Amino acid sequence: MRLFTPRAMDQLPSLIMAVDQKGYPDKHEVADYLEFYAQHNKLHVLLNKNQ
């Protein structure tokens, strides 16, 4: 799976996704980026949490 928008449009504030801003990230790159973003910003993320 690959996103339909370039990396420059997919990144979150204060953290560039990758060097190639015109390329399209795949699902693994996006997952790794989100995990690193959470760690970098010391965010408390709950996974597999039931309501």
Side-chain angles (χ1 to χ4, degrees):
M1 185 171 101
R2 196 166 289 282
L3 292 182
F4 293 111
T5 53
R7 287 179 186 94
M9 302 288 292
D10 300 325
Q11 58 199 14
L12 296 169
S14 76
L15 188 61
I16 294 174
M17 187 173 257
V19 178
D20 179 14
Q21 293 293 295
K22 294 181 181 179
Y24 298 88
D26 65 15
K27 65 180 180 178
H28 300 290
E29 183 181 346
V30 173
D32 291 343
Y33 174 79
L34 292 174
E35 182 178 2
F36 182 76
Y37 186 85
Q39 292 171 354
H40 181 263
N41 291 294
K42 298 181 178 124
L43 302 175
H44 182 69
V45 178
L46 299 175
L47 301 174
N48 301 320
K49 181 75 177 164
N50 294 328
Q51 295 180 0

